[in-house]
Amino acid sequence: MKISIIGTGYVGLTTGIAFAKYGFNVVCVDKVKGKIKSLSNGVAPFYEPGLGKILKKLVDERLIEGSTNLEKAVKNSDVSFICVGTPSLPNGLISLEHVKDAAKDVGKALEKKKGYHLVVVKSTVTPLTTEKIVLALIEKYSKKKVGKDFGICMNPEFLREGNALNDALHPDRVVMGEYDKKSGDILMKLYRNFKCKKMRTKLRTAEMIKYASNSFLATKITFANEMANICEKFGIDVYEVMKGVGLDKRISPYFLNAGCGFGGSCFKKDISAIISASRSKNYTPKLLETVLDMNETQPLQIIRMAESVLGNLKNKKITLLGLSFKPGTDDVRETRALSIAKTLLKKGTKIIAYDPKAMKNFKKLAGHRNIVYAKNAKAALRKVDACIIQTSWEEFKNLRPKDFKVMKTPVVIDGRRTFDNTEIFAKNGIVYLGIGWKNFAI
Ligand code: UGA
């Protein structure tokens, strides 16, 4: 079976690579010529650990190729995955512009194709989109009938940035929403070499599983953040508390790491979308609204901690280590570093920022004014009043107490519990404060 992938972002490219790795012939289609040129040369168009190496190998083995010709790619394949972006609209709902364009184009190509074809929606779309919009557009533009001439599935993705390749090759589960048994059987065949749990369900249920998963993960983090803020009041270490809580199999230890809030392109976008979609059906999801509200205020805990030690932050020099929304990526979308930087700048603080991968992207987001970008972490720490860690990159984990001694006042405010041994700081005369850390002796 040959596969065409429409859209070569994180989802499309990693999905394509996973299928190619399992022996299928894959063509990745994108309208952006630069992306296809880079892909055809075996160079990943964005940073993701391990992706470049495997892409180069698969391109050399001719298992994967890039193309800007969607019609040809669809006509020459048996299955097409729609992996285009669904960005947020100002009202919280998702924009279906790219999904609709892809559905129309796939439909037009199918009009000219002989034989049965399976279309799989992988883009994150709110419930009913696949059956009410994508399916209808493909029927309209192909002049063909679903169930007879083509099949349709909804196959949500659960990739984490920074770990996308591993997640694509070895997922925890594959969820397959199917229009009919024939469609689902084909998708099952594509996933036959993936050793994980597989679930077959309805199209709309698969769409909802994606939203429910991200909503739950974001809620779990927010719960840990709430516990952190409470623990701090009682001089308790929240990481120890969550270790104990996570021992319960019903809860699990994952996604209980408290910090300065979740970032990234997915959680906020998806939760906003499901809130807006629910509201359009006259239901207000209060829990999810609270999760988003709390995530906006959580970075302010960092500012409060800085003020508790330094007093007024005007004209103070503060280092901001870590600008990406999490380690292992240069992605700065919804990074908590931006809210922290903006609040500090409003207070008249001078910021020295550093990130091993995301400085270029952060500069575009936050601009250059009043932020000095350092060459490395050690250089960023020189003669500053405090240091905030927003992303726990390996480079920061390796910093030793002596590295902080070059600061004017050695104050470390850790937004992500970067260090395993936090007791070492006090022993070396360094003030260490952290989210949910037993900051003040009671
Ligand atoms: C998230 C989901 O984890 C994926 O399953 C999903 O496929 C993806 O969204 C998506 O919808 O595309 P991602 O946004 O890449 O993946 O990153 P996560 O690892 O989930 O981290 C999101 C944010 O939560 C980061 O800012 C991270 O620092 C924060 N986080 C994560 C915590 O604050 N505490 C935790 O315990 C875990």
Side-chain angles (χ1 to χ4, degrees):
M1 262 192 293
K2 285 190 176 168
I3 299 171
S4 51
I5 308 262
I6 324 292
T8 56
Y10 278 100
V11 177
L13 188 56
T14 37
T15 303
I17 286 178
F19 282 122
K21 180 85 177 44
Y22 286 115
F24 293 99
N25 275 97
V26 177
V27 54
C28 289
V29 182
D30 208 291
K31 283 181 180 165
V32 183
K33 284 187 186 136
K35 276 191 183 179
I36 293 305
K37 198 175 162 208
S38 148
L39 195 157
S40 304
N41 290 327
V43 178
F46 49 83
Y47 174 73
E48 182 66 30
L51 208 66
K53 204 174 153 201
I54 190 166
L55 177 65
K56 177 90 185 65
K57 190 170 172 282
L58 293 167
V59 167
D60 289 346
E61 289 169 359
R62 295 178 175 273
L63 281 165
I64 198 164
E65 61 176 321
S67 171
T68 49
N69 190 337
L70 184 144
E71 185 184 304
K72 195 173 157 206
V74 172
K75 274 163 68 184
N76 289 338
S77 60
D78 307 286
V79 183
S80 298
F81 280 82
I82 296 180
C83 300
V84 293
T86 50
S88 261
L89 291 169
N91 63 3
L93 285 169
I94 48 168
S95 161
L96 288 176
E97 191 194 336
H98 303 306
V99 171
K100 285 182 182 168
D101 283 350
K104 269 187 216 168
D105 292 344
V106 170
K108 283 181 196 164
L110 289 184
E111 191 191 0
K112 297 179 189 157
K113 192 198 160 187
K114 280 191 189 135
Y116 187 86
H117 197 89
L118 177 68
V119 181
V120 185
V121 176
K122 220 176 205 320
S123 303
T124 299
V125 290
T126 41
L128 306 186
T129 304
T130 304
E131 57 200 86
K132 299 274 185 225
I133 296 173
V134 179
L135 190 159
L137 283 170
I138 297 175
E139 280 198 327
K140 181 176 167 193
Y141 285 91
S142 66
K143 304 189 180 75
K144 290 187 171 175
K145 190 85 198 96
V146 68
K148 182 174 149 282
D149 307 309
F150 72 95
I152 193 157
C153 283
M154 201 284 149
N155 174 216
E157 59 85 16
F158 304 108
L159 308 174
R160 288 162 299 170
E161 280 183 39
N163 209 40
L165 186 60
N166 191 48
D167 286 345
L169 289 171
H170 311 288
D172 281 350
R173 84 293 209 188
V174 175
V175 172
M176 290 171 271
E178 58 195 40
Y179 171 79
D180 55 9
K181 187 171 177 305
K182 186 174 177 185
S183 310
D185 284 349
I186 298 173
L187 196 55
M188 272 296 272
K189 268 193 201 152
L190 287 188
Y191 279 110
R192 68 174 176 262
N193 289 327
F194 289 68
K195 307 244 173 305
C196 64
K197 288 180 187 141
K198 289 160 197 164
M199 174 178 171
R200 291 176 72 160
T201 185
K202 286 184 187 159
L203 294 170
R204 60 180 74 178
T205 311
E207 291 167 330
M208 190 62 197
I209 287 172
K210 167 71 187 190
Y211 282 99
S213 298
N214 272 1
S215 298
F216 182 68
L217 291 172
T219 305
K220 216 175 165 190
I221 298 169
T222 307
F223 172 80
N225 290 344
E226 175 109 293
M227 291 303 116
N229 301 343
I230 296 174
C231 281
E232 213 197 300
K233 303 279 175 208
F234 293 95
I236 301 168
D237 175 4
V238 76
Y239 271 64
E240 232 183 308
V241 170
M242 286 306 155
K243 193 176 163 196
V245 171
L247 291 175
D248 187 327
K249 269 191 203 153
R250 294 169 301 174
I251 298 173
S252 101
Y254 307 107
F255 274 67
L256 286 178
N257 294 328
C260 50
F262 57 79
S265 65
C266 306
F267 285 164
K268 185 175 173 188
K269 172 177 101 80
D270 291 353
I271 297 177
S272 304
I274 202 67
I275 290 174
S276 299
S278 309
R279 277 177 171 273
S280 75
K281 301 272 181 201
N282 297 321
Y283 178 75
T284 303
K286 282 193 208 151
L287 174 66
L288 297 183
E289 286 186 340
T290 306
V291 166
L292 288 188
D293 285 349
M294 283 184 63
N295 200 52
E296 289 310 308
T297 51
Q298 190 62 11
L300 301 180
Q301 297 288 345
I302 294 284
I303 309 292
R304 186 185 50 74
M305 280 176 194
E307 284 172 333
S308 73
V309 193
L310 302 177
N312 193 332
L313 298 180
K314 191 158 188 220
N315 290 327
K316 294 278 182 334
K317 256 190 179 178
I318 295 189
T319 301
L320 183 52
L321 292 183
L323 306 172
S324 60
F325 82 93
K326 68 173 190 181
T329 176
D330 63 355
D331 194 340
V332 294
R333 284 175 291 176
E334 293 301 328
T335 175
R336 300 297 88 188
L338 187 65
S339 9
I340 294 171
K342 274 187 176 170
T343 315
L344 288 176
L345 289 175
K346 256 192 216 151
K347 288 182 183 281
T349 315
K350 294 184 175 115
I351 302 176
I352 325 291
Y354 171 72
D355 188 285
K357 290 274 179 232
M359 273 193 319
K360 203 171 131 204
N361 287 341
F362 193 79
K363 275 180 198 170
K364 283 186 218 153
L365 201 68
H368 294 255
R369 274 178 54 207
N370 300 322
I371 300 183
V372 173
Y373 292 89
K375 273 193 196 134
N376 52 48
K378 288 180 189 173
L381 291 169
R382 234 166 269 145
K383 294 190 178 146
V384 296
D385 296 288
C387 152
I388 293 169
I389 305 181
Q390 192 284 138
T391 324
S392 50
W393 283 98
E394 213 49 41
E395 183 180 338
F396 308 153
K397 285 184 188 219
N398 291 330
L399 289 170
R400 294 290 160 256
K402 68 170 173 36
D403 298 319
F404 294 98
K405 290 285 176 76
V406 298
M407 296 165 71
K408 191 169 146 202
T409 43
V411 176
V412 177
I413 302 167
D414 193 351
R416 298 284 174 197
R417 194 60 62 86
T418 307
F419 308 96
D420 293 332
N421 182 359
T422 31
E423 310 282 355
I424 195 169
F425 287 100
K427 283 181 194 151
N428 284 276
I430 296 165
V431 178
Y432 175 88
L433 298 173
I435 299 276
W437 171 242
K438 42 193 176 181
N439 290 322
F440 306 101
I442 289 175

